[in-house]
Amino acid sequence: MKSIFQMLLVAGTMLLTSFTLTNPKDEQAVAQAVERLRKAMIDPDKATLESLTVRELSYGHSNGLVEDQDAFIQALLNKSSDFVTIDLTDQKITVVDKTAWVRHKLMAETKNSGTPGQAKLSVLLVYVKQKNDWKLMARQAVKI
């Protein structure tokens, strides 16, 4: 009898955990937030970028530079960080409660400070759910 109870407890815990980790509505909402950010980085607007990120943003570049929300937005607005195109592939989203992380490959044409270039990155994004919106809290990229 004790072993049946233990098996039911383990099965119930696993089932509950799987529901917590895989909420298709949250995954879809995070994917939409990523897409809104992708578009806003190509065509930057201060109000939009502020609405997509948290004030405490930690935005890590592949060269080691880490920016806060103000520096991230300012770099896009003044074109020192200028994305002409951004293509995202191999995206995987994991949601746990009010936190989500996204991993993807980013291929981009850039024109940072007027100099044409390319970016080939592996990116980790961390999103938090505030009220009903998913907002970027942290980002780290590495060159590939």
Side-chain angles (χ1 to χ4, degrees):
M1 184 68 136
K2 185 177 178 183
S3 65
I4 292 174
F5 176 74
Q6 287 174 333
M7 287 187 342
L8 288 173
L9 183 61
V10 169
T13 302
M14 290 173 61
L15 188 60
L16 182 59
T17 301
S18 69
F19 283 128
T20 301
L21 294 176
T22 57
N23 182 338
K25 288 183 183 179
D26 278 337
E27 286 181 19
Q28 184 179 35
V30 171
Q32 290 169 351
V34 171
E35 178 59 13
R36 286 191 299 273
L37 180 66
R38 184 191 72 80
K39 289 179 179 178
M41 290 174 67
I42 294 169
D43 187 19
D45 169 76
K46 183 177 181 178
T48 301
L49 290 164
E50 285 176 343
S51 74
L52 296 173
T53 59
V54 298
R55 185 81 193 117
E56 304 81 7
L57 177 67
S58 176
Y59 189 91
H61 292 267
S62 61
N63 65 1
L65 175 66
V66 178
E67 297 172 323
D68 62 13
Q69 185 191 47
D70 290 335
F72 162 69
I73 292 171
Q74 191 57 39
L76 289 168
L77 293 176
N78 70 22
K79 305 280 187 203
S80 62
S81 181
D82 186 6
F83 290 94
V84 178
T85 65
I86 299 174
D87 294 310
L88 305 177
T89 60
D90 302 327
Q91 185 161 280
K92 182 169 178 2
I93 298 170
T94 304
V95 178
V96 178
D97 297 324
K98 293 184 178 191
T99 305
W101 56 94
V102 180
R103 290 186 180 273
H104 57 228
K105 304 285 190 268
L106 179 150
M107 305 300 169
E109 291 182 36
T110 61
K111 199 168 185 185
N112 298 344
S113 300
T115 304
Q118 293 184 340
K120 295 178 182 177
L121 307 171
S122 183
V123 178
L124 169 65
L125 305 170
V126 179
Y127 278 82
V128 293
K129 191 172 190 179
Q130 294 183 339
K131 298 183 183 174
N132 289 324
D133 294 325
W134 286 96
K135 297 185 179 235
L136 182 65
M137 182 173 70
R139 184 253 202 193
Q140 187 58 58
V142 295
K143 292 178 185 175
I144 53 173

